[in-house]
Amino acid sequence: MATPPLPSYVATAAVVAAVVACYRFGVSPAVRALARRPTPVVLGASVAVIAPLALRPPPVPGPLHWFIASVIALLTWRGATSDYNVTAPLASQRRSKLLLLLLAVASCLWTPALLAWIAVCCGRLRSWQHHAMMPVRLLKAYLAWFLVSALFAPSPHDSAAALVLVLGCVSLSHYVKPAWSKARLGPRPWSWAWHNRTHYLMASAYSWGWARFLPSRRVSRLLRRARVLDRPVNILTMLVEAAGLVVFLDRRLLIATLVATALFHVVIALASGILFWENATANLGLAVGVGLLSDTGGVSAFGWPAALIALCVIVLSAADLLWQPWHLGWWDSPFTARMHWQVETVSGATRGLYNDYMCPYEREFGRVEGYFLTDEAILHGHLGIVWDLRRRDLLVQAGSDRDQLRALKQTYGRTHRDEERSGEHVAFLAAMFTRLNTGTPKSPLPRWLRHLKAPGGQLYRWGDLPAYRGEEPVRRITVRYVERCYLPRTGDFVTLADHVVREIDLNPPALDRSTPYAQDLR
């Protein structure tokens, strides 16, 4: 692809600057305000304000139009098929899901409707969560580009190039920021790549509830083999994450990097049970869209001037001045302390209550929810992560020595006990299972379509007990505090603490095998 003359890049840079300014000071504040109160009147008024701009639609490159439509469909699938919060009125949730579907179709055909779609998706259906942030930001950036293009009518080439640059910067800034965070963890920029023991993340994920259908001995053998790959994997991770700083030098480099990030998410999911399927799918779609652009469409989006423009945007986003990607930089440790939920059914069976059943709150119940129920001092974050290399080394050194762990808790630990949150949590669980016991539907999908539900992002669906799937009513919920540690020297997984922190007794209906409830769930 020939490099266009410098003046064409100046025009592209002006459009990019206008788009990111519109994103930061126009679209983003409007979405936040609308998401707080997404009422029909407010949504209608907001769409009406920008509707006249659709009278002069900007030239949308065909492949990128289909990419935007695919992202809308992706997030609509997630929002429309997620379970109900059965503690809240179901009628309003059904209306919100139906409204999301209607607005998705409208947004693909008429761009102003996208503002209302984003507000409903982020507000009523709680889609503004970590794993969906990047795709939502892609749509916000597209809406900002639409407004700028409709208002100022730049040339088709400059407009297309600006759209490619902005969408690429939004996506890749979510990887550059974590690379920067990892580079700041140690005394040198390469300290994380050289000293992090990434196979500890695999061990902690297994303790947390990922792939527990595998025998611990097999997992130990896998970890022994995986530890020799720590440094190569760490170095490759930082290279993929930092590649966004230079990818706009050439279109092929951008496509290759987007595909590499998708493969990167596959590796993360297999190793840790953290599934960024929204990000991976969006990046693959963007790679296809960029690859299908004509030679003239977006030509000034590549070359060294374009790379400088993109570098400025990505640096500003990494500094939280445009959008705020997560840091995602830490040290992995082999020690985990987690809250576990289990239920006792009316027939006396004990089942594990895993995070997938707790949808639409599967993310909360897959992470660190419940620490406020215990007086135990917590040493780490999700999956045993810490932000201090010395603390990681002390945890490894302590191993299964309870006295050393007790001393570490006293020195570094923090108690999260909160009676108000504990009361709210108990009330939520009691209300949820009381209503489920009486037959309140949990899924918006009929039973024969539930395999079409969008996947979750926290795959901790296994544990010491068989999973509860609603087979029969629940009479008791038990919350346990469990500490587990992987011992690198021996390859053993040991349980260091396991005690009950709360029991919630319910009054379920008597189980009658002739009732519709039992017949439906058998």
Side-chain angles (χ1 to χ4, degrees), residues 19 23 58 60 64-65 68 72 107-108 111 114 136-147 163 166-167:
V19 170
Y23 179 106
V60 183
L64 294 183
H65 172 78
I68 293 299
I72 294 172
S107 299
C108 292
T111 302
L114 185 58
V136 170
R137 285 173 176 147
L138 286 171
L139 297 180
K140 290 166 67 178
Y142 171 75
L143 182 58
W145 170 85
F146 167 83
L147 296 175
L163 181 59
V166 171
L167 294 179

Side-chain angles (χ1 to χ4, degrees), residues 259-277:
V259 173
T261 59
L263 295 175
F264 173 61
H265 286 305
V266 173
V267 174
I268 291 174
L270 292 175
S272 67
I274 303 174
L275 180 60
F276 284 85
W277 65 271

Side-chain angles (χ1 to χ4, degrees), residues 188-206:
R188 297 176 179 84
W190 58 86
S191 294
W192 180 88
W194 199 252
H195 296 293
N196 191 53
R197 303 294 178 256
T198 305
H199 72 283
Y200 289 167
L201 176 64
M202 300 169 63
S204 295
Y206 183 75

Side-chain angles (χ1 to χ4, degrees), residues 339-415:
M339 310 304 295
H340 291 262
W341 293 262
Q342 62 188 48
V343 297
E344 181 182 336
T345 66
V346 291
S347 67
T350 303
R351 297 284 185 266
L353 188 61
Y354 303 124
N355 71 301
D356 60 323
Y357 190 80
M358 300 306 293
C359 181
Y361 302 109
E362 57 92 19
R363 172 172 168 79
E364 288 82 352
F365 280 85
R367 288 176 53 81
V368 296
E369 183 75 6
Y371 283 157
F372 47 77
L373 292 165
T374 179
D375 292 319
E376 296 281 351
I378 305 301
L379 288 164
H380 57 71
H382 184 214
L383 292 176
I385 64 175
V386 295
W387 291 269
D388 180 354
L389 181 58
R390 173 174 169 76
R391 189 181 307 186
R392 191 281 306 273
D393 291 340
L394 289 173
L395 284 169
V396 174
Q397 180 183 347
S400 59
D401 189 320
R402 289 176 173 81
D403 292 334
Q404 288 191 48
L405 285 172
R406 190 178 301 110
L408 287 176
K409 287 182 181 181
Q410 292 174 351
T411 304
Y412 297 104
R414 185 168 71 90
T415 300

Side-chain angles (χ1 to χ4, degrees), residues 47 141 193 242:
V47 172

